[in-house]
Amino acid sequence: MTRTTHELASPLQSTTPYQREDVLPCDLECNSPAYTASLQWNLVFEPRTFRPGGRGLSMDELASQCVAFFLAGYDTTASTLSFAAYLLALNQNIQDKLRDEVDTMLEIYNGELTYEAIQSLKYMENVIRETLRLYPPIYRLERQANADWQLGKTGIILRKGMLVTVPIYAMNRDPKYWPDPETFNPDRFETENRKEYCFLPFGTGPKACLGRRFAEMEMKVCLSYLMANFKIHTCPETKVPINFDKGLNGLLQPLDITLRMEIRENPPLIQ
């Protein structure tokens, strides 16, 4: 795998004249507020604006990023799709609304799942977000401070080398930010205004998930095929609530999700 990845990555190395030091280490870039703010907006698209004159990625660094992109995104995407199917099975009214949106999209785009067609699925996007809120596949983030840093006027000082844990799962179910937090309600993402940084399924800032858009597109395509061809139901083997594997550090994975799939009569054609 490494050799193949190196061969595929070779053409990219010569076109990467700047150093992406923010990708590999797990630390907090906290030298200055202006630097951090510029990183958040320019990390991917305009790296030269904050890291001029740096070296390019080495072949090993580039290969490691390619491998991590595929491996790190596999379990998390699969888990989110499993959680989404589970929640849709428990909430038939939401499932019916999502299926209607997919059917309408397929009718408008003549059964073709184009990029534009997928992007038109706004309710599906809310379903995915609400699934990630209730069951974030990575339930906490950890970062290590690379310099002393005072958190505003709180008086709290992060010392260099200190490990900072962000409890994503707990924040996502905090009634301070989410009214009726235990309820699966995709419509909350249409109307509710939340404080910044209380919904972090993909992280944020310079350490945000680089594969976010790819993962979101994967899930939308999979759910489109699922809604177009099946109805999802619970069955006697369905565990409510879900039992989780407690041996995985940082990953939220169910021990078992068993559902019943019913094939739709005259499903819409997907080309």
Side-chain angles (χ1 to χ4, degrees):
M1 178 187 293
T2 303
R3 181 179 179 182
T4 302
T5 306
H6 276 224
E7 293 170 354
L8 292 173
S10 295
L12 299 177
Q13 190 180 32
S14 61
T15 62
T16 313
Y18 40 79
Q19 167 65 6
R20 286 292 298 276
E21 295 176 359
D22 52 282
V23 177
L24 292 173
C26 290
D27 56 12
L28 288 174
E29 296 286 353
C30 54
N31 296 326
S32 72
Y35 176 73
T36 302
S38 67
L39 278 174
Q40 293 180 16
W41 294 105
N42 299 321
L43 173 65
V44 176
F45 299 104
E46 297 293 341
R48 286 189 180 88
T49 62
F50 62 87
R51 196 63 62 84
R55 67 173 179 83
L57 289 172
S58 71
M59 188 57 68
D60 286 339
E61 291 171 340
L62 190 55
S64 71
Q65 295 307 310
C66 294
V67 173
F69 186 83
F70 288 103
L71 296 184
Y74 179 80
D75 276 344
T76 51
T77 302
S79 295
T80 302
L81 288 169
S82 298
F83 290 133
Y86 171 81
L87 290 167
L88 291 171
L90 293 177
N91 299 271
Q92 290 293 321
N93 59 325
I94 295 176
Q95 182 181 161
D96 291 341
K97 184 175 179 179
L98 179 60
R99 186 178 295 106
D100 289 342
E101 182 183 53
V102 171
D103 289 353
T104 300
M105 177 270 293
L106 292 174
E107 182 178 353
I108 293 174
Y109 290 91
N110 299 316
E112 295 185 10
L113 282 180
T114 63
Y115 178 81
E116 291 75 15
I118 293 297
Q119 292 301 105
S120 71
L121 297 172
K122 301 304 181 182
Y123 188 69
M124 179 179 289
E125 186 172 309
N126 292 342
V127 167
I128 293 173
R129 288 178 178 176
E130 181 69 344
T131 300
L132 289 168
R133 183 188 70 81
L134 283 171
Y135 299 111
I138 299 177
Y139 59 81
R140 74 167 186 264
L141 296 176
E142 291 185 347
R143 297 290 184 264
Q144 187 176 37
N146 67 358
D148 291 348
W149 183 257
Q150 181 169 331
L151 298 178
K153 299 179 181 180
T154 64
I156 299 174
I157 298 177
L158 301 179
R159 299 298 182 185
K160 182 178 180 180
M162 182 180 292
L163 192 66
V164 180
T165 298
V166 182
I168 294 179
Y169 185 92
M171 293 193 326
N172 286 356
R173 293 175 181 252
D174 190 336
K176 179 180 178 181
Y177 307 113
W178 309 93
D180 197 11
E182 302 298 325
T183 299
F184 180 59
N185 177 23
D187 290 332
R188 74 171 74 243
F189 284 92
E190 289 286 349
T191 59
E192 291 180 7
N193 295 318
R194 293 166 302 281
K195 291 187 177 181
E196 195 174 12
Y197 302 132
C198 67
F199 179 65
L200 304 172
F202 296 97
T204 190
K207 305 300 179 182
C209 175
L210 294 178
R212 173 174 183 167
R213 293 189 180 185
F214 178 66
E216 289 176 336
M217 184 62 65
E218 278 187 298
M219 291 187 283
K220 288 179 181 179
V221 170
C222 185
L223 286 176
S224 294
Y225 273 93
L226 194 61
M227 291 295 99
N229 291 282
F230 299 96
K231 295 181 179 180
I232 313 172
H233 303 279
T234 59
C235 62
E237 292 78 19
T238 304
K239 301 292 191 302
V240 181
I242 299 176
N243 294 322
F244 296 100
D245 186 346
K246 299 180 180 179
L248 295 174
N249 188 22
L251 293 177
L252 189 68
Q253 282 201 333
L255 288 175
D256 173 72
I257 292 182
T258 304
L259 302 169
R260 179 171 64 87
M261 311 296 287
E262 175 189 353
I263 299 177
R264 291 181 60 183
E265 295 182 4
N266 302 316
L269 177 64
I270 298 182
Q271 299 182 21

